[in-house]
Structure formats: structure tokens, C-alpha cells
Amino acid sequence: MAQATLTISSKNYSSWSLRGWLLCKMAGLEFEETHVDLHDTDMRQELLLLSPTVRVPRLTHGDVQVWDVTAIAGYLNEMFPKAGLYPKERVARAHCRAISGEMHAGFHNLRSALPMNLRAKHDSFKIFSGARPDVARVVEIWKQCLDTYGGPFLFGTPTMADAMYAPVCTRFRTYSVTLEPQLEAYIDTILAWEPMAEWITAALEEPEEIEELEVEF
Ligand SMILES: N[C@@H](CCC(=O)N[C@@H](CS)C(=O)NCC(=O)O)C(=O)O
């Protein structure tokens, strides 16, 4: 099998790195991790040579270079069709792609108001009014999936959609966004999921802090 390297940044702060990394783990890809500090100018220049967007994650697999989480998911699904990154059934597969696309392209207010920070815990966090419709939409998406497919993951077994929404689960816990029991149980499932638990352990041990994301609320 071709050699694979996934370029990521901080495990504490980088939600897109987490999504790409979960997809590689779910696919069963054996890969090495390369970490870049996106605030380091030399590293940014190096990354520019690898990933024209200067963004992570970015996957090298043999002679294939692929960046952007949706493209990485599509590639891994082609290479590892048995891994179940997308649901087997056509209607569910379309649904999975649609909600994954929603996360990929939207939820800007949620992302900026509640940045991922696994080491932080804010007990009385007031959600900015602009982010509340995003929270409501996440609730709607999760409820529809769990009611339709029966849980414990959004489409029963882990799929790309769980990788896309995993950082939202951590944000809801970081900023004490409490939801109804069915949705709290989904968050528990994600946080206890083996690859997720591995990522969280590493994030908690990571030394670097990004000052502007360590704000006091
Ligand atoms: N849509 C992109 C998003 C990637 C992205 O925004 N990554 C962030 C890290 S979480 C990044 O590399 N940011 C670089 C920077 O802010 O300098 C994807 O799917 O991969």
C-alpha cells in the first residue's frame, strides 16, 4: 500500500484537521501525521508548496495529493469502499452528503462564535444571537438523523457526517450548550468513539496555546 501522510495543525484548535484525521482513521488508512504551526511564516511557506490553499488538512497518498475535507472523504471512499464512509443505501447516502455539505459550506457564525478549544470549559457562556440559528439547525439535523436511522451515530454506524459534526460536539461541551437527552447521548457517543478519544487525549497534552482563542468569556 502507498505511503500516506496527513498534514494537520493543532489538535486542540483545528476542527478541519480533526475532520480529516477522523476520515483517515475511519477508512483504515495507515498514515503518518505531519504537524504545521500555521502561525509560523516558514511553515506556512512550506505548506503553500504542498497545499495551494495554505490550509490543512492535506493528504499525500503515494503520488496523490488531496486537500479539502470533502475531497479527502471522496478519495478515501474510492480507495476504501468497504469502510462505510458514506451510508450504503442511496437515499441515506444523499442525505449524508447533504448535511456534510451544509457543515462544509456554512455555520459560519457557530464556527466563529464558538471556536474549537478542547482544553477549555466555559460554564456560563452566552451564545451570540447570530449563532443561535446555527445551533437550532444543528439540533434539527441531528434529531432528523437519529429519529430516521436509529443512532447511535447519525446514520447508525460512523460515516463522514459524524466526522463533519464531531467538532460541533466538542464545542457544545466546551461552551456548555445543553440539548435534549437524545442529542446529549449522541455527543456522548462521539466523545467516547475510539478515534475521537485518541484525538482528545493528544489535544489535552498539546503544549501550544493560541492566545486569541484563549479568550475569557
Ligand atoms: N474547507 C477547508 C477548510 C480548511 C481550513 O479552513 N483549515 C484551517 C484549519 S482549521 C486552516 O488551515 N487555516 C489556515 C489559516 O487560518 O491560516 C477544508 O475542507 O479542508
Side-chain angles (χ1 to χ4, degrees):
M1 186 52 87
Q3 195 179 328
T5 305
L6 185 72
T7 306
I8 56 175
S9 64
S10 163
K11 288 197 170 173
N12 188 53
Y13 302 106
S14 176
S15 61
W16 291 105
S17 296
L18 167 59
R19 293 178 174 107
W21 188 90
L22 283 174
L23 288 165
C24 291
K25 288 282 180 183
M26 289 160 77
L29 177 71
E30 279 185 27
F31 64 99
E32 285 180 6
E33 289 172 26
T34 306
H35 293 249
V36 294
D37 174 355
L38 295 170
H39 289 73
D40 180 315
T41 317
D42 291 342
M43 279 196 180
R44 282 185 75 86
Q45 274 174 354
E46 223 172 278
L47 185 58
L48 183 59
L49 296 174
L50 302 171
S51 172
T53 56
V54 200
R55 288 187 185 272
V56 290
R58 174 190 167 276
L59 176 67
T60 305
H61 188 213
D63 59 355
V64 171
Q65 317 282 343
V66 56
W67 56 91
D68 188 284
V69 162
T70 304
I72 292 172
Y75 174 72
L76 290 171
N77 186 53
E78 260 178 44
M79 295 301 293
F80 303 94
K82 293 198 180 116
L85 290 183
Y86 300 112
K88 281 196 188 64
E89 201 272 318
R90 187 175 55 92
V91 175
R93 195 161 58 246
H95 188 187
C96 176
R97 284 198 161 110
I99 65 162
S100 298
E102 250 188 269
M103 177 47 68
H104 194 251
F107 294 104
H108 300 293
N109 285 339
L110 174 71
R111 292 215 287 258
S112 56
L114 280 63
M116 187 171 107
N117 185 346
L118 294 173
R119 289 195 296 262
K121 178 84 178 93
H122 300 287
D123 292 328
S124 48
F125 181 76
K126 189 158 169 26
I127 303 175
F128 152 60
S129 59
R132 281 188 220 135
D134 282 356
V135 173
R137 178 64 190 139
V138 168
V139 164
E140 192 175 42
I141 288 171
W142 287 0
K143 267 193 77 57
Q144 193 191 7
C145 284
L146 296 170
D147 287 345
T148 307
Y149 307 104
F153 292 87
L154 292 175
F155 291 85
T157 53
T159 63
M160 175 195 189
D162 299 293
M164 294 304 277
Y165 285 86
V168 178
C169 294
T170 76
R171 287 165 154 122
F172 283 177
R173 286 291 158 88
T174 296
Y175 299 99
S176 304
V177 179
T178 43
L179 306 174
E180 58 196 86
Q182 181 193 30
L183 307 182
E184 289 293 338
Y186 172 64
I187 296 178
D188 288 339
T189 297
I190 293 298
L191 298 184
W193 181 26
E194 203 183 319
M196 193 63 192
E198 185 185 330
W199 177 280
I200 292 169
T201 302
L204 298 182
E205 286 167 2
E206 202 173 70
E208 66 262 30
E209 277 197 357
I210 299 179
E211 218 172 295
E212 63 266 32
L213 295 179
E214 291 293 339
V215 279
E216 289 291 330
F217 294 99

